[in-house]
Amino acid sequence: MAKVRGAVVVENEVCKGCNLCVVACPQDVLSLNKEVNSKGYHYSYMMNPEACTGCTNCAMVCPDNCITVYRVKQANVA
Amino acid sequence: MGDLRLMKGNEVIAEAAIRCGCDGYFGYPITPQSEVMETLMLRRPWEETGMVVLQAESEVASINMMFGGASSGKKVMTSSSSPGISLMTEGISYMAGAELPGVIVNVQRGGPGLGTIQPSQADYFQATKGGGHGDYRLIVLAPNSVQEMNDFVDLGFELSFKYRNPALILTDGVIGQMMEKVELSEFKPRLTDKQIEEKYGEWIASGKKPDRERHIKTSLEMVSEVQEKNNERFQAKYRAMEKDEVRFEAIQCDDAEYVIVAYGVSSRISQKAVVLLREQGIKAGLLRPITLFPFPTQKINQLTDKAKGFLSVEMSSGQMIEDVKLAVNGKTKVEHFGRMGGVIATPGEVVDAVKQKLIGG
Amino acid sequence: MDELQLADIIKPENKVYGKSKIMTDTPMHYCYGCSHGVVHKLIAEVIEEMNIQEDTIGIAPVGCSVMMYYYLDIDWLQAPHGRAPAVATGYKRTNPKKYVFTYQGDGDLAAIGTAETMHAVNRGENIVMIFINNAIYGMTGGQMAPTTMIGQSTSTSPHGRDVEVNGYPLKITELIAQLPGSAYVTRQSVHTPATVRKCKKAIRKAFENSAKNIGTSFIEVVSTCNSGWKLDPVESNKWMEENMFPFYPLGDIKDSVHDDVEKYSVQKNKK
């Protein structure tokens, strides 16, 4: 059985830490960082990268266009 | 030679628009200028030249439709009368701020408020000092014949594109409504989109091309220092207009001891007054500003060498007189004569005013 | 099982979603979580996908999105407050082959620009109108809008909108749908991934309509203004669902072309 793996890249300096992507993520991948960017925002990051399926939901709701989503289908190696 | 016709001033504005290759007219009915749009609608220029004619829901909409068309480099115009022009001043200010060309015709009626539908010249301040908010000026042309109603539409477009600034034809209910012989201009074809791109491609919003930055037609600039620079650029244009675009007609001014300054319908009345005064041995002359902005300041100042007095004749309480006074600069007497509320002065009244206010006073 | 490393996933060939090429690199000035950013990106994606960058003209309003021209790489006009539909009319009439859209907030479109809005649609201008309804004036600091809900507090209705004083929230989109000139009228939102996807489809349809010359396409996006509402972005979405959606229900309101104009015409030469 193939498994879908994803990853997101957040442009830290553009992210305003609105938290909408965190809420939109069905896999609880994302969280707001304890660190802040140069503007003082707690930017979003993958706290749980293994769970990401690359569904793009986070990027859909992102008002600042700062999330890029990647996805691969991983063949089952078992 | 163009076609010779007997036409109303307002009708000629419409005909001149079609003939000079205007791309769009947007207007709203108001007395005494409704014949402009009526003539256009009867003529159906969209079938002949492709010119768009649209009756808007208000003067506010008309001027903003002009903003839209002008942003693409099209020759667009509107016409109205005083109360309607007041509604347009917002859009005119935005056009001046966004540096957009276009021709606006004001067939003046008496005010303030709804005032009267009779002719007037009480919008001089509004026309020449900007009118709306902010530091801007319009190129203001003042026709005094049906012939000039024809000529100034094309001239207005030429100047407004040259300076990328709206031009205003400031006329009045008399010139708009009167019929006179006119030689209509030859037909000039409308520019094609390709020609417009070639001529104005560097500033028009015609769709973002791969080889250039996007074009934004806006009057907004949030950085004060940049907006100050923008204002300096506008002011430089106005100074250039003052240097190069002053137009006037001087009638018997060379030896004039008493100079009447008048534009539009008042200049016609004053011209007759000059004849009457000369018959009485009084050396009178008429200086008729054709451009109200830029104003013929220098010419008037030169006339102070000989002139003992100036009379500003306007159908208002005295507005242009302020510019005449600035031009005369205290060297000699400047008086005003005018009728208000739609009353048209007679040559006899002007003669009396010269005698009483300049000679006798 | 071999575990994929992140570096193996984050490769250009695996990219499934990213910023549209029509979006510029200028960071948006909007508050965190503002709906404007989402709608901007959807318009950008539609323009990119339809390959109409060179033929699209945006009309920016007055309000928070006045500087929208910083963010989409197309040619722009910036209209006086409320006049975007008139500006769009003038542009479209003299350039009928272009795609022209207005982007306006509730104050711009439904208060000061009501006349221009109604008449542009009533003429059936072949333009796209995108209407951001967040029930408040954002740019000026959270004053009451025509669409502010009954009881909603704003800086000019600090004790809540009182019908006795301020009248009712204006459902201008329903009014628009009544006009024969409107072809497609819909109300969308962008607060969840699913609604974002749906809203994009609506925007795409509206742009496609404008090439068909079938009248005005009008999209209301019920939106949040968390700064104006004094809530965080997530709470704002909840507030919008609970308070705005019952009054401003999502969905298509009209999807048809002009009514039969003949039935309204005066009878010519009737014997």
Side-chain angles (χ1 to χ4, degrees), chain B residues 152-172:
Chain B
F152 289 1
V153 174
D154 196 25
L155 177 63
F157 275 120
E158 184 194 316
L159 294 175
S160 78
F161 273 83
K162 181 174 174 185
Y163 292 96
R164 277 174 55 196
N165 196 70
L168 179 79
I169 296 175
L170 187 69
T171 182
D172 53 69

Side-chain angles (χ1 to χ4, degrees), chain B residues 180-194:
Chain B
E180 212 170 32
K181 186 177 76 176
V182 56
E183 185 188 333
L184 297 172
S185 305
E186 303 281 353
F187 278 93
K188 266 202 285 193
R190 287 174 54 235
L191 296 180
T192 63
D193 285 356
K194 194 162 167 273

Side-chain angles (χ1 to χ4, degrees), chain B residues 228-241:
Chain B
E228 185 175 48
K229 285 265 175 282
N230 288 343
N231 270 278
E232 284 167 0
R233 191 173 65 252
F234 305 158
Q235 293 302 318
K237 290 200 294 194
Y238 309 144
R239 297 297 86 78
M241 291 171 196

Side-chain angles (χ1 to χ4, degrees), chain C residues 100-113:
Chain C
V100 180
F101 74 92
T102 70
Y103 186 101
Q104 304 170 261
D106 40 59
D108 195 89
L109 183 139
I112 196 166

Side-chain angles (χ1 to χ4, degrees), chain C residues 191 224 233-244:
Chain C
H191 68 304
T224 60
V234 177
E235 290 167 347
S236 292
N237 279 343
K238 201 161 167 269
W239 191 91
M240 174 175 70
E241 284 179 321
E242 286 171 0
N243 297 286
M244 287 182 77

